[in-house]
Amino acid sequence: MTQGIDQGRRRFFRRQTNDALRPPWVKADIDFTDLCSRCDACIKVCETHIISRGDGGFPEVNFNQDECTFCEKCVSACPEPIFDLHQTAPWAIKAEISSACLTQNGIWCQSCKDACEPRAINFVMAVGQVPKPHIDLDACTGCGACVSPCPADAINVIKPD
Ligand code: SF4
Ligand code: SF4
Ligand code: SF4
């Protein structure tokens, strides 16, 4: 009976949390909420404190304060068969810049470029306009370092369409 309730709750949370961003290197072919025991191990070890308890107590990443350094500590700390470091990329997410970007309103800003270590953000010059940012999706690692320095909250790191 208890198990039935637990499975029902897990199905509910799976629907609720499908869009939540999980830590890097989660296996692509699992349902995260089926395997995660909500032990908080990844939350405790994350060196940049970007993992917190989200819906249902499942860990979620957000880049509002800091970035992922790909230190792998969350992967090592997890006692469940959730992660696989052999995957080609830690995750499929990429940065996307919205129309809230200051340069869209003629205001000079390059804060995101300065924060991006892989140099995935380039500024495109155009005559009579301030340069506008362009993301090189191949170079972007989805680290989220560009999110918090943006004064206009114009950057989301999401799965591309
Ligand atoms: S790889 Fe490191 S920085 Fe990134 S989410 Fe895991 S513990 Fe945090
Ligand atoms: S930091 Fe934000 S506002 Fe500034 S150029 Fe980059 S996306 Fe635009
Ligand atoms: S998510 Fe990281 S790699 Fe991608 S554009 Fe932002 S800072 Fe650069």
Side-chain angles (χ1 to χ4, degrees), residues 15 17 37 54 61 70 84 101 115 121 129-130 135 137 144 147 157 160:
R15 280 199 305 275
T17 62
S37 61
V61 166
F70 302 110
D84 178 9
C101 171
I121 307 179
Q129 295 179 1
V130 298
I135 310 256
L137 292 180
V147 173
V157 185

Side-chain angles (χ1 to χ4, degrees), residues 13 16-17 20-22 32-33 36 38 40 42-43 50-62:
F13 288 128
Q16 293 292 305
T17 62
L21 177 57
R22 306 303 178 195
F32 186 85
T33 54
C36 173
R38 292 172 274 182
D40 289 351
C42 57
I43 296 172
I50 60 168
I51 314 177
S52 59
R53 288 196 136 218
D55 276 348
F58 294 102
E60 289 182 15
V61 166
N62 97 50

Side-chain angles (χ1 to χ4, degrees), residues 51-158:
I51 314 177
S52 59
R53 288 196 136 218
D55 276 348
F58 294 102
E60 289 182 15
V61 166
N62 97 50
F63 300 120
N64 290 342
Q65 302 290 331
D66 215 329
E67 69 191 277
C68 177
T69 59
F70 302 110
C71 68
E72 303 179 10
K73 286 181 183 164
C74 50
V75 179
S76 306
C78 179
E80 308 296 341
I82 287 176
F83 295 92
D84 178 9
L85 281 174
H86 295 104
Q87 295 177 111
T88 45
W91 44 26
I93 53 173
K94 304 282 177 183
E96 193 178 271
I97 298 178
S98 78
S99 58
C101 171
L102 296 179
T103 67
Q104 298 283 347
N105 293 311
I107 299 167
W108 179 279
C109 176
Q110 299 201 348
S111 299
C112 51
K113 180 183 179 184
D114 297 340
C116 179
E117 218 169 277
R119 306 219 166 274
I121 307 179
N122 303 299
F123 277 75
V124 183
M125 306 293 285
V127 178
Q129 295 179 1
V130 298
K132 293 187 174 57
H134 169 81
I135 310 256
D136 175 351
L137 292 180
D138 290 333
C140 175
T141 62
C143 71
C146 53
V147 173
S148 64
C150 174
D153 285 335
I155 306 181
N156 287 308
V157 185
I158 51 175

